[in-house]
Amino acid sequence: MRIPLILFLTSLIASAGQTPSEFMTAWVDVFNKNDAKAIVAYYDRSEETDCLVSVGLSFKGFKEIEKMYHQDMKAIHFYDSKCEQMKHRMLGDVAVVSFIHKFKYLIRETGVRYRIHIRTTATLRKDNGSWKIVSEHSSPIQGIERAVMIENK
């Protein structure tokens, strides 16, 4: 599947000149749009790219990650996505970024809502002046509930 040129160019422009922390803050913010194409634009298109989500599921390769996000967006609605305690370390054209990721989601079929509190670490690679996620790992934090059901109002 080819990425539309406008999405590719938007991704390049968006990440050009950003620090790794700014790039990942934008990634966190894009969850609020519930747009799988916008989220996967942050990932390296390699089949070596990997993603481990906080429930322990692992996805290998851009196509598998893209499929996962498209399925998620059909089943759930993300909102209130934000990050805390963002920090990064630069290693030339590679950076490691870690932060606390908090967000909420609604299961579309049931209307049940959850609040999520996890730690995310991403490895980024700069290519042609733009950052891309080459590895992402999200995990629960010891002593903090990963998922809490929210009462509907």
Side-chain angles (χ1 to χ4, degrees), residues 72-89:
D72 277 2
M73 296 301 148
K74 286 180 184 174
I76 60 181
H77 175 81
F78 290 94
Y79 63 103
D80 287 348
S81 178
K82 55 189 161 206
C83 56
E84 297 174 357
Q85 302 174 25
M86 177 84 65
K87 59 185 175 184
H88 72 265
R89 180 169 180 209

Side-chain angles (χ1 to χ4, degrees), residues 53-114:
V53 296
S54 64
V55 293
L57 298 175
S58 183
F59 301 91
K60 181 77 170 179
F62 178 83
K63 290 177 186 170
E64 197 171 300
I65 293 167
E66 180 180 45
K67 180 180 176 184
M68 176 266 297
Y69 276 118
H70 280 280
Q71 289 174 341
D72 277 2
M73 296 301 148
K74 286 180 184 174
I76 60 181
H77 175 81
F78 290 94
Y79 63 103
D80 287 348
S81 178
K82 55 189 161 206
C83 56
E84 297 174 357
Q85 302 174 25
M86 177 84 65
K87 59 185 175 184
H88 72 265
R89 180 169 180 209
M90 299 278 298
L91 304 162
D93 286 341
V94 174
V96 179
V97 184
S98 62
F99 56 95
I100 304 299
H101 189 186
K102 294 181 178 180
F103 60 91
K104 297 174 185 166
Y105 69 82
L106 163 77
I107 300 174
R108 295 180 191 275
E109 187 175 314
T110 64
V112 175
R113 297 174 185 270
Y114 287 92

Side-chain angles (χ1 to χ4, degrees), residues 107-146:
I107 300 174
R108 295 180 191 275
E109 187 175 314
T110 64
V112 175
R113 297 174 185 270
Y114 287 92
R115 180 179 66 240
I116 306 298
H117 188 148
I118 56 177
R119 177 180 174 83
T120 298
T121 302
T123 303
L124 311 179
R125 181 176 61 88
K126 192 175 245 188
D127 186 34
N128 293 322
S130 298
W131 292 108
K132 291 293 181 181
I133 300 169
V134 296
S135 182
E136 174 205 341
H137 180 121
S138 294
S139 55
I141 302 167
Q142 186 175 5
I144 298 174
E145 286 190 73
R146 183 191 73 79

Side-chain angles (χ1 to χ4, degrees), residues 10-79:
T10 301
S11 172
L12 282 179
I13 292 166
S15 67
Q18 289 182 317
T19 68
S21 291
E22 291 167 338
F23 176 81
M24 289 308 295
T25 297
W27 175 83
V28 167
D29 291 342
V30 84
F31 274 85
N32 293 315
K33 295 181 181 177
N34 287 279
D35 181 346
K37 287 182 183 180
I39 292 172
V40 299
Y42 285 80
Y43 289 83
D44 186 77
R45 296 185 61 78
S46 167
E47 290 311 305
E48 295 302 312
T49 300
D50 69 304
C51 175
L52 177 70
V53 296
S54 64
V55 293
L57 298 175
S58 183
F59 301 91
K60 181 77 170 179
F62 178 83
K63 290 177 186 170
E64 197 171 300
I65 293 167
E66 180 180 45
K67 180 180 176 184
M68 176 266 297
Y69 276 118
H70 280 280
Q71 289 174 341
D72 277 2
M73 296 301 148
K74 286 180 184 174
I76 60 181
H77 175 81
F78 290 94
Y79 63 103

